């Protein structure tokens, strides 16, 4: 196989593995690329891989294939990505992602992903927010599920393949992928030189805590949405792996940038997403001109409706970027008290579209609405409101640019954290999206990130001068025993604080005061309150002491991490005195006539990433140190990093989606009408 030239064993004959934590799209693609390089992998997943949060993605994956002949291109995709991210994304990785996107979609097509197709048999593409082009490939409204299942099939194949030694001889009993589902990441194992040598994890069925050697560790563990209590994210999305690595010295980047999705269904347990694809397929957002209009929405004529996004944004209409749409809905409901019947709801209307077309393209999400609301969305407008959805921030990761400004393929710096031997990819990293993610760039960034990270780790692996597997077993046993003692102490906790109640209060606080609108005075109180929660956490109660399949104790452990990251998010938001992407302070908005102190920009943070470093504890309360620069090493190379954003590939311009002409790619041809036939469009390659 391809890995026959790789030194997969130590001199003593032990198989040298890499650990990938997270079984979503980013983790699976990283595993695939490592296996293609001949490197064996231990794959850890908190849940069955096919239940990873990537399965929840609905709308599609971006790629400038230009099937409809609109003049779209990877360059325009790149420009819209950095413009949508308000120029806070590192541009070389974004360029690499946009250029790789078409071939990624073709690869997924060959893997068997059932993408929707045009009558001519071409891949079909829909529009998403922040773009004027049909660029989003989709598989109905369950694209994430179809992509996840396709990559899972590829990984399952590697679970059956033998590991080869340097002479190409199969090693008995050793498979390329060893999958460990229902295992919770607990700690990195690092040597005295600060090099990552493995990890400690816990089996959530037996509650065994065990150490695993690894030549490198890659975290692909998703976002921290549950910090906000209710969100569109799965309940496993606590951010705990990043919080653990952060405590061990990893730098956290741009934590304050949390994306609010404009359209979700409010629920008592969680907020269920109504994908942007609904607007991409023609859905219109509106409220009655008279908020207290009691008529059935189907009976309210056009003249009595207020299509506020279409009125204010004539070019993008209902497909402005998510941060813009969310703020407008928030302003309607909170600022004007003009939501439906004065409530925090607006209509998302698809009733003007043929039912057969909707069932073909959007059945997955419309079934969700019908199931949880009990209303037929094919013939009735849906009631929606914004919800916490995604984190643009995450673990800081590096990149190395090539001569033309894109990524240098195979560089060990790509997706490396500042901790030697630790990599991070997917929503858990801070790369690609800047201050605001464009819809359908998430699935693309996870898969592209995995395609970049796998070769980067392979290079690092090939150049190690010392193997983790040559370290004594006592080194790893010590780490496992240390974590076992912590777990035993947690299990013996007899305080008065219920971790679930404490989490509920944290979520309510963060959701109310640290999402769409942010005010410095309020943020000061949020930070103070987080400190109170951390004090209360020291008096935590073990609500379940069972020795098997105990869910309460791991949750309590996760809660500590959520409190730590909540401080990073809130303090980062307090420090950034500007309006940028998803981070919005009305008091500083130069377009807000009611602004207390409007500013054009925050010179202190202008085009700079927020870099947060663990500062230890003051008593029970965590401390954050915000830094401007740091050094880290990889192999024999020492790298100096600053917080400045690489904006060398696209000139800066202010985002303005109210214009009647495109605010990007001025030399590109104007897009055709949405319903233009693709019969004469270029064929898929």
């Amino acid at each position: 196989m391809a890995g026959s030239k790789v030194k997969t064993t130590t001199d003593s004959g032990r198989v040298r593995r890499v650990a990938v934590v997270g079984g979503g799209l980013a983790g699976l693609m990283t595993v695939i690329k490592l296996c293609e390089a001949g490197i064996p992998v231990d794959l850890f997943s908190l849940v069955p891989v096919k239940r990873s949060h990537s399965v929840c993605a609905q709308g599609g994956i971006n790629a400038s294939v230009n099937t409809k002949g609109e003049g779209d291109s990877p360059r325009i995709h790149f420009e819209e990505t950095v413009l949508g991210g308000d120029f806070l994304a590192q541009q070389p990785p974004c360029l690499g992602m946009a250029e790789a996107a078409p071939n990624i979609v073709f690869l997924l097509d060959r893997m068997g992903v059932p993408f929707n197709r045009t009558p001519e048999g071409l891949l079909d593409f829909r529009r998403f927010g922040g773009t004027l082009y049909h660029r989003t490939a989709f598989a109905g409204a369950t694209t994430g599920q179809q992509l996840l299942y396709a990559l899972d099939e590829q990984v399952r194949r590697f679970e059956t393949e033998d590991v080869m030694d340097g002479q190409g001889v199969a090693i008995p009993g050793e498979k390329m992928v060893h999958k460990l589902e229902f295992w919770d990441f607990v700690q990195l194992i690092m040597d005295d030189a600060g090099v990552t040598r493995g990890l400690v994890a816990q089996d959530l069925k037996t509650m065994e805590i065990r150490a695993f050697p690894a030549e490198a560790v890659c975290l692909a563990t998703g976002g921290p949405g549950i910090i906000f209590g209710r969100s569109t994210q799965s309940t496993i999305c606590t951010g705990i792996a990043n919080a653990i690595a952060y405590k061990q010295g990893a730098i956290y980047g741009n934590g304050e940038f949390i994306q609010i999705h404009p359209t979700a269904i409010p629920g008592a347990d969680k907020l269920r997403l109504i994908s942007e694809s609904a607007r991409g397929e023609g859905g219109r957002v509106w409220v009655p001109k008279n908020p207290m209009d009691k008529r059935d929405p189907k009976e309210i004529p056009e003249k009595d409706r207020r299509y506020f996004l279409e009125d204010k944004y004539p070019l993008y209409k209902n497909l402005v970027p998510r941060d813009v749409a969310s703020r407008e809905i928030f302003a309607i409901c909170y600022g004007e008290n003009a939501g439906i019947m004065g409530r925090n709801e607006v209509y998302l209307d698809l009733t003007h579209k043929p039912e057969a077309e909707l069932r073909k393209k959007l059945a997955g999400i419309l079934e969700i609405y019908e199931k949880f609301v009990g209303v037929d969305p094919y013939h009735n407008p849906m009631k929606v409101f914004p919800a916490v959805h995604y984190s643009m921030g995450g673990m800081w990761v590096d990149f190395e640019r090539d001569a033309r400004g894109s990524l240098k393929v195979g560089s060990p710096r790509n997706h490396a954290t500042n901790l030697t031997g630790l990599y991070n990819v997917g929503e858990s990293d801070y790369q690609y999206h800047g201050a605001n993610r464009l819809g359908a760039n998430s699935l693309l960034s996870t898969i592209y990130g995995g395609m970049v990270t796998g070769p980067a780790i392979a290079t690092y692996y090939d150049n190690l001068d010392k193997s983790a597997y040559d370290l004594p077993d006592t080194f790893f046993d010590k780490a496992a025993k240390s974590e076992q003692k912590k777990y035993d102490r947690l299990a013996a906790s007899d305080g008065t604080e219920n971790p679930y109640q404490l989490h509920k209060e944290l979520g309510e606080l963060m959701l109310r005061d640290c999402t769409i609108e942010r005010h410095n005075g309020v943020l000061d109180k949020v930070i103070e309150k987080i400190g109170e929660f951390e004090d209360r956490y020291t008096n935590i109660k073990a609500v379940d002491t069972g020795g098997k399949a105990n869910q309460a104790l791991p949750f309590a452990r996760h809660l500590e991490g959520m409190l730590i990251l909540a401080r990073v998010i809130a303090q980062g938001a307090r420090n950034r005195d500007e309006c940028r992407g998803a981070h919005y302070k009305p008091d500083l908005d130069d377009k807000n006539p009611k602004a207390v102190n409007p500013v054009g920009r925050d010179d202190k943070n202008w085009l700079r990433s927020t870099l947060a470093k663990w500062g230890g504890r003051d008593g029970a309360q965590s401390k954050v140190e915000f830094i401007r620069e740091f050094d880290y090493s990889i192999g024999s190379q020492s790298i100096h990093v600053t917080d400045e954003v690489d904006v060398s590939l696209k000139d800066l311009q202010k985002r303005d989606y109210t214009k009647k002409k495109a605010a990007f790619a001025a030399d590109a041809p104007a897009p055709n009408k949405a319903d233009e036939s693709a019969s004469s469009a270029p064929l898929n390659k």
Side-chain angles (χ1 to χ4, degrees):
M1 62 175 294
S4 60
K5 296 182 180 179
V6 178
K7 191 177 187 304
T8 56
T9 60
T10 64
D11 293 338
S12 61
R14 298 185 67 184
V15 173
R16 303 170 59 217
R17 292 182 173 272
V18 165
V20 175
V21 184
L25 291 174
L28 292 181
M29 182 53 80
T30 301
V31 170
I32 290 169
K33 300 307 288 186
L34 284 167
C35 289
E36 288 177 352
I39 297 174
V41 178
D42 283 338
L43 173 59
F44 298 82
S45 182
L46 192 61
V47 294
V49 164
K50 293 177 78 168
R51 294 302 304 154
S52 299
H53 184 60
S54 297
V55 80
C56 296
Q58 298 170 348
I61 178 171
N62 283 337
S64 294
V65 177
N66 195 33
T67 302
K68 299 183 184 294
E70 297 171 324
D72 192 14
S73 70
R75 177 70 193 191
I76 297 175
H77 181 190
F78 156 72
E79 293 191 3
E80 288 184 325
T81 295
V82 298
L83 179 66
D86 226 349
F87 290 92
L88 210 63
Q90 305 285 359
Q91 293 188 3
C94 292
L95 178 62
M97 178 179 73
E99 291 180 336
N103 283 331
I104 288 175
V105 168
F106 298 148
L107 172 65
L108 295 168
D109 187 33
R110 293 194 298 273
M111 285 183 179
V113 173
F115 286 118
N116 280 54
R117 309 189 91 86
T118 68
E120 298 81 13
L122 306 177
L123 290 174
D124 200 3
F125 290 82
R126 56 169 53 125
R127 274 188 62 198
F128 253 52
T131 178
L132 299 175
Y133 300 87
H134 290 72
R135 183 184 297 142
T136 306
F138 59 100
T142 60
T143 310
Q145 181 186 47
Q146 305 309 321
L147 267 57
L148 186 70
Y149 286 10
L151 295 193
D152 177 62
E153 286 181 357
Q154 300 300 314
V155 170
R156 286 174 184 268
R157 173 168 61 88
F158 286 116
E159 289 181 64
T160 69
E161 292 192 2
D162 295 326
V163 177
M164 302 292 185
D165 64 17
Q167 286 70 47
V169 178
I171 301 174
E174 292 284 355
K175 301 300 181 182
M176 287 298 296
V177 173
H178 180 206
K179 184 188 292 179
L180 298 102
E181 295 177 320
F182 293 109
W183 282 78
D184 191 13
F185 171 73
V186 174
Q187 197 80 344
L188 294 170
I189 300 176
M190 305 177 72
D191 64 18
D192 293 339
V195 177
T196 304
R197 298 298 187 184
L199 59 84
V200 178
Q202 183 172 31
D203 184 338
L204 296 180
K205 303 183 294 296
T206 67
M207 310 314 292
E208 172 196 8
I209 292 179
R210 180 176 159 196
F212 296 82
E215 301 292 43
V217 175
C218 178
L219 301 182
T221 48
I226 304 305
I227 289 173
F228 294 84
R230 293 183 301 156
S231 79
T232 67
Q233 295 193 342
S234 301
T235 55
I236 59 174
C237 298
T238 63
I240 182 61
N242 271 357
I244 290 168
Y246 167 72
K247 278 186 67 178
Q248 292 188 262
I251 304 299
Y252 202 89
N254 289 339
E256 65 269 29
F257 292 101
I258 301 294
Q259 183 168 88
I260 312 300
H261 197 288
T263 56
I265 314 168
D269 54 345
K270 75 183 297 286
L271 308 177
R272 290 173 175 85
L273 177 67
I274 297 298
S275 168
E276 196 167 284
S277 57
R279 287 173 287 134
E281 295 295 344
R284 305 178 74 187
V285 178
W286 63 277
V287 291
K289 289 184 177 178
N290 174 10
M292 307 310 293
D293 195 323
K294 296 182 179 180
R295 287 177 289 180
D296 186 296
K298 294 179 293 184
E299 305 301 323
I300 300 177
E302 289 283 315
K303 65 181 181 65
D304 292 335
R305 299 182 179 188
R306 181 181 174 190
Y307 294 98
F308 53 92
L309 291 179
E310 298 175 26
D311 294 341
K312 189 169 182 178
Y313 306 99
L315 187 62
Y316 289 84
K317 298 184 178 179
N318 294 287
L319 285 172
V320 289
R322 292 174 177 179
D323 61 313
V324 177
S326 295
R327 280 197 295 274
E328 293 296 339
I329 294 173
F330 190 83
I332 287 288
C333 294
Y334 277 91
E336 301 182 30
N337 197 31
I340 302 166
M341 298 300 294
R343 297 189 295 266
N344 293 332
E345 296 174 332
V346 299
Y347 288 121
L348 174 57
D349 195 345
L350 284 161
T351 58
H352 56 287
K353 303 290 289 186
E355 182 176 346
E357 179 182 343
L358 295 177
R359 289 193 180 277
K360 179 181 178 182
K361 296 182 176 182
L362 297 174
I365 60 171
L366 299 184
E367 287 171 4
I368 291 172
Y369 188 87
E370 189 165 12
K371 177 178 181 179
F372 287 98
V373 180
V375 175
D376 172 12
Y378 297 98
H379 304 101
N380 298 275
M382 295 179 282
K383 295 178 181 179
V384 296
F385 192 72
V388 170
H389 180 59
Y390 190 89
S391 174
M392 280 72 70
M395 196 61 65
W396 175 89
V397 292
D398 201 3
F399 66 91
E400 184 172 359
R401 56 183 294 168
D402 62 16
R404 51 182 298 275
S406 187
L407 290 194
K408 184 177 180 181
V409 178
S411 168
R413 291 174 55 184
N414 294 334
H415 279 267
T417 72
N418 62 299
L419 299 183
T420 304
L422 177 66
Y423 289 76
N424 199 298
V425 65
E427 188 180 347
S428 58
D429 75 47
Y430 94 126
Q431 203 69 275
Y432 302 110
H433 308 300
N436 174 58
R437 174 178 66 81
L438 292 188
N441 264 1
S442 57
L443 295 183
L444 174 61
S445 65
T446 58
I447 293 177
Y448 175 71
M451 296 179 78
V452 168
T453 305
I457 297 174
T459 302
Y460 173 81
Y461 177 102
D462 284 344
N463 289 282
L464 279 172
D465 56 4
K466 179 181 179 181
S467 172
Y469 291 85
D470 286 331
L471 295 172
D473 291 342
T474 54
F475 174 75
F476 297 98
D477 292 341
K478 181 180 178 181
K481 289 177 181 178
S482 174
E483 294 306 316
Q484 183 68 57
K485 289 179 180 178
K486 293 179 185 177
Y487 182 78
D488 292 343
R489 285 197 297 270
L490 187 62
S493 300
D494 60 353
T496 59
E497 294 288 349
N498 185 308
Y500 294 101
Q501 176 62 32
L502 192 54
H503 171 255
K504 180 181 177 182
E505 294 180 36
L506 172 68
E508 290 173 348
L509 174 75
M510 296 296 289
L511 189 64
R512 182 184 66 240
D513 295 335
C514 199
T515 51
I516 293 179
E517 287 189 1
R518 292 163 170 181
H519 302 268
N520 284 342
V522 175
L523 289 171
D524 287 335
K525 294 178 181 178
V526 169
I527 295 165
E528 181 181 353
K529 194 69 176 178
I530 291 170
E532 293 179 15
F533 291 154
E534 289 180 311
D535 288 336
R536 289 169 58 188
Y537 183 83
T538 63
N539 194 32
I540 206 76
K541 177 182 180 180
V543 296
D544 183 357
T545 57
K548 304 288 184 182
N550 188 317
Q551 297 183 51
L553 291 180
F555 179 82
R557 183 171 60 218
H558 285 225
L559 177 58
E560 180 186 14
M562 286 189 273
L563 289 167
I564 289 169
L565 291 188
R567 182 179 292 277
V568 173
I569 293 167
Q571 188 66 63
R574 177 61 179 86
N575 291 355
R576 187 176 288 275
D577 275 336
E578 64 177 349
C579 297
R580 184 170 294 279
H583 173 68
Y584 179 64
K585 291 184 172 179
D587 291 345
L588 304 178
D589 184 359
D590 57 358
K591 294 180 180 179
N592 180 9
K594 298 180 180 179
V596 175
N597 183 29
V599 293
R601 71 189 216 188
D602 178 1
D603 287 329
K604 183 175 63 174
N605 296 302
W606 176 245
L607 298 181
R608 293 180 182 271
S609 300
T610 298
L611 301 177
K613 182 180 179 182
W614 172 251
R617 290 191 183 276
D618 182 3
Q621 298 184 15
S622 59
K623 296 190 296 183
V624 187
E625 180 184 352
F626 292 97
I627 58 177
R628 293 290 191 186
E629 56 187 351
F630 61 90
D631 295 288
Y632 84 100
S633 61
I634 189 161
S636 59
Q637 187 178 14
S638 179
I639 313 295
H640 182 69
V641 177
T642 73
D643 60 356
E644 295 182 16
V645 179
D646 186 328
V647 292
S648 60
L649 303 177
K650 165 65 178 171
D651 291 339
L652 301 180
Q653 60 189 67
K654 198 164 187 176
R655 295 196 313 168
D656 187 355
Y657 293 95
T658 63
K659 293 181 178 180
K660 295 184 178 181
K661 291 184 179 180
F664 55 87
D667 57 341
N672 298 335
K673 294 180 180 179
D675 296 328
E676 184 174 8
S677 171
S679 59
S680 60
L683 295 177
N684 294 160
K685 296 179 181 178

